[in-house]
Amino acid sequence: MKTASLALLVLSLSFSAVSLAGPCAPAVDDIIGLRDVRIELCQINGPNHPDCLAQEAYEFDFVASVIQQCPANTPECQRAPHAYVAAWGRRHDTCHNAGSSNDPACVSAQGIEDARFYPFAVCLLNGW
C-alpha cells in the first residue's frame, strides 16, 4: 500500500508540473490526498473500521461530485471515470469482505483500483 501511495505522490508531482492542465486538474491533487488518507487509515485500522469507512464515503462523494462537475468530452475520458468507480467499488467490497487491508485479495483489488485511477486522473488533467 505504501508503494501505491508513493507512486501516486510521484504522479501528483509530475501532474503539478503540467502547464496546460484543464480546469478540473486541481481536483486530481485533492483526490490523491483523499486516497492517501483512506489507504493509510484502512491499512492501520482495517477496512471495516468506522474511520476507514467514513473516509471512503467522503472520498467517494468527492469523486462523484468531480465527475458530475467535470463532464468528459472524449470517448476514452467518458469511460475512465466509470472504470475507476467500478474498480473502487470492487476494492471496497473485496477488502470489506476480507477484513484486512493486507489480505492478498484486498492488495490485488487496490492495485487494480490504482491502475484505473491513472487514466481518470490524466483525463481530468487534460480537461477531458
Side-chain angles (χ1 to χ4, degrees):
M1 295 295 185
K2 296 279 186 201
T3 303
S5 295
L6 180 59
L8 290 173
L9 177 61
V10 170
L11 182 66
S12 168
L13 293 175
S14 65
F15 285 157
S16 297
V18 175
S19 61
L20 300 175
C24 294
V28 174
D29 286 334
D30 294 338
I31 295 170
I32 288 171
L34 292 172
R35 283 171 47 89
D36 285 347
V37 169
R38 185 248 308 157
I39 289 168
E40 185 172 342
L41 280 173
C42 297
Q43 185 71 34
I44 293 169
N45 300 315
N48 298 321
H49 190 276
D51 291 343
C52 173
L53 296 172
Q55 182 64 24
E56 281 187 324
Y58 182 74
E59 176 187 348
F60 187 84
D61 289 345
F62 183 81
V63 168
S65 72
V66 168
I67 292 169
Q68 184 177 23
Q69 293 171 17
C70 300
N73 58 19
T74 67
E76 180 181 318
C77 290
Q78 288 172 348
R79 289 187 298 272
H82 299 291
Y84 173 59
V85 169
W88 192 99
R90 284 190 296 275
R91 188 259 325 136
H92 167 80
D93 292 344
T94 300
C95 294
H96 178 76
N97 291 334
S100 170
S101 296
N102 295 321
D103 183 275
C106 180
V107 172
S108 175
Q110 181 63 56
I112 293 168
E113 178 194 330
D114 292 344
R116 299 297 184 268
F117 176 71
Y118 300 125
F120 173 58
V122 168
C123 285
L124 284 173
L125 285 168
N126 293 325
W128 297 91

